[in-house]
Amino acid sequence: MVPGASESHELQRTIDALHSRYKPLTDGDVASYIPELTKANPEHFGICIATAEGAVFETGDCDRAFTIQSISKPFTFGMAIEAYGAETVAKYVGVEPSGDVFNSIELMSGSNRPHNPMINAGAITVSALLHARYGDEAFDLILERFSTAAGRRLTIDADVFESERRTGHRNRAIAHLLLNFGLVHDAAERALDVYFKQCSILVTCRDLAMMGATLANMGKHPITGAQAYEIPSVRSMLSIMFTCGMYDYSGEWAYRVGVPAKSGVAGGVIAVVNRQLGIATYSPRLDKHGNSARGIEVCVELASRFGLHAFDCLNVGSGFLQVIL
Ligand code: DON
């Protein structure tokens, strides 16, 4: 818990109880396909909730740094939308769930575009768009934007970057397939470096909760007041997180939890309750979909306990009808 949040607050008591309940859960395995990630401690476990007003509730390992990995994808997607406009970005990458693993080597039949920006093919396309626009400054701009969303200066883990760059043959294959279809510019290797670097940005569970709270707060960091993303891009980011953020578990996630979310192979999960909360968990053991096993259980319970699901009866939704009737 941090200053400003009360020990007796129901959110604090709930996350403390969930931490105790799921600490003994040892299902799943730490990611090993990127050699450097095997060094993660499987016991680490943190839960953090930040409100759109800036109150923070946390328990467990919320200060440990780990790499953001795929949780970077909605945040670079938002940057691409702001750089090119949603219509142009749509010519390069779709918004359909793929129902397939995150690193599958496939494009949509007919259009030969990646299904969506949350799977690797779509995310590499987005990084290439940013590289095409900003050249070798692209990564610095990404780091700056993520830092604004988190409310503090972030850095990268150079060892994870090198490890991923050295062993990322599958992503290299995807990038060259994209190059073949003209979705990635000729500097495909430089674009891949942007992608590998964005995945290697170090965050804590608290940073992720704050980044989530920034999205919940219409793109504005709840404490610093800095506008990290424009309001229309936040809507696009949250939509794609809702439908595609948890890979081939996205449908079940939408059914059981019902909020926009994104996971990363280092063990982070970010979830956003629109206009209300950023939720983050950190636990490196992953299930068969590549999502944090403890993270999923915690989010399912939080959603059910507090009625967070977008279609929960407690969620009153848009006030539009009251205005016009
Ligand atoms: O492309 C990769 O393999 C990683 N850098 C990111 C993948 C990732 O986090 C998938 N998430 N569950």
Side-chain angles (χ1 to χ4, degrees):
M1 200 187 53
V2 296
S6 137
E7 224 166 78
S8 60
H9 195 290
E10 195 177 347
L11 277 177
Q12 187 62 47
R13 282 188 276 112
T14 303
I15 60 173
D16 286 341
L18 288 175
H19 192 273
S20 307
R21 183 171 329 151
Y22 288 107
K23 183 84 181 150
L25 180 73
T26 56
D27 292 358
D29 297 298
V30 170
S32 58
Y33 73 98
I34 301 170
E36 199 62 23
L37 293 187
T38 56
K39 295 183 180 164
N41 182 340
E43 293 311 322
H44 287 166
F45 183 25
I47 308 172
C48 183
I49 297 182
T51 71
E53 290 76 35
V56 179
F57 303 89
E58 60 185 37
T59 187
D61 298 304
C62 289
D63 280 326
R64 301 228 179 242
F66 55 94
T67 50
I68 189 167
Q69 297 295 340
S70 286
I71 301 170
S72 62
K73 294 170 178 174
F75 293 93
T76 47
F77 177 56
M79 288 179 71
I81 287 178
E82 291 178 9
Y84 288 90
E87 264 181 48
T88 302
V89 174
K91 291 185 184 142
Y92 290 83
V93 56
V95 290
E96 289 300 334
S98 69
D100 231 324
V101 290
F102 69 90
N103 57 3
S104 92
I105 304 181
E106 62 170 347
L107 299 175
M108 289 166 101
S109 59
S111 69
N112 289 321
R113 288 174 306 156
H115 287 79
N116 66 70
M118 302 296 102
I119 53 167
N120 288 10
I124 292 168
T125 304
V126 165
S127 305
L129 283 172
L130 292 174
H131 186 264
R133 172 61 56 98
Y134 300 117
D136 291 338
E137 273 181 30
F139 176 71
D140 290 341
L141 292 172
I142 291 171
L143 188 62
E144 196 177 302
R145 192 72 80 92
F146 287 24
S147 299
T148 305
R152 76 173 183 102
R153 187 84 205 140
L154 301 176
T155 56
I156 88 161
D157 183 326
D159 294 336
V160 172
F161 166 58
E162 286 303 337
S163 183
E164 190 160 352
R165 186 190 210 203
R166 204 175 53 249
T167 59
H169 308 303
R170 200 177 169 95
N171 282 330
R172 206 155 266 120
I174 292 172
H176 284 270
L177 177 69
L178 295 166
L179 177 60
N180 176 65
F181 286 107
L183 294 167
V184 159
H185 60 319
D186 287 345
E189 289 294 329
R190 305 278 271 278
L192 266 175
D193 275 352
V194 172
Y195 173 72
F196 292 143
K197 274 191 185 169
Q198 77 186 51
C199 289
S200 306
I201 292 175
L202 284 166
V203 287
T204 63
C205 191
R206 190 187 305 133
D207 290 328
L208 288 181
M210 289 313 308
M211 290 171 86
T214 294
L215 296 185
N217 193 35
M218 297 179 287
K220 188 175 181 171
H221 190 280
I223 297 170
T224 67
Q227 192 75 38
Y229 287 90
E230 294 164 12
I231 293 175
S233 359
V234 172
R235 194 179 82 157
S236 301
M237 293 159 76
L238 293 178
S239 310
I240 206 75
M241 288 164 74
F242 192 78
T243 52
C244 308
M246 304 300 274
Y247 308 116
D248 43 341
Y249 186 75
S250 296
E252 195 150 342
W253 174 276
Y255 191 75
R256 294 180 74 196
V257 186
V259 300
K262 186 75 202 81
S263 61
V265 283
V269 174
I270 185 172
V272 179
V273 184
N274 196 31
R275 308 292 298 273
Q276 295 178 71
L277 304 175
I279 299 172
T281 60
Y282 171 51
S283 171
R285 284 198 196 88
L286 308 179
D287 65 14
K288 63 175 194 254
H289 304 282
N291 298 321
S292 168
R294 282 177 178 146
I296 298 273
E297 295 308 324
V298 168
C299 292
V300 167
E301 291 231 9
L302 280 173
S304 121
R305 166 138 196 176
F306 294 113
L308 305 180
H309 195 293
F311 308 117
D312 195 280
C313 63
L314 297 176
N315 191 328
V316 291
S318 166
F320 176 66
L321 286 179
Q322 281 150 8
V323 174
I324 59 166
L325 288 177

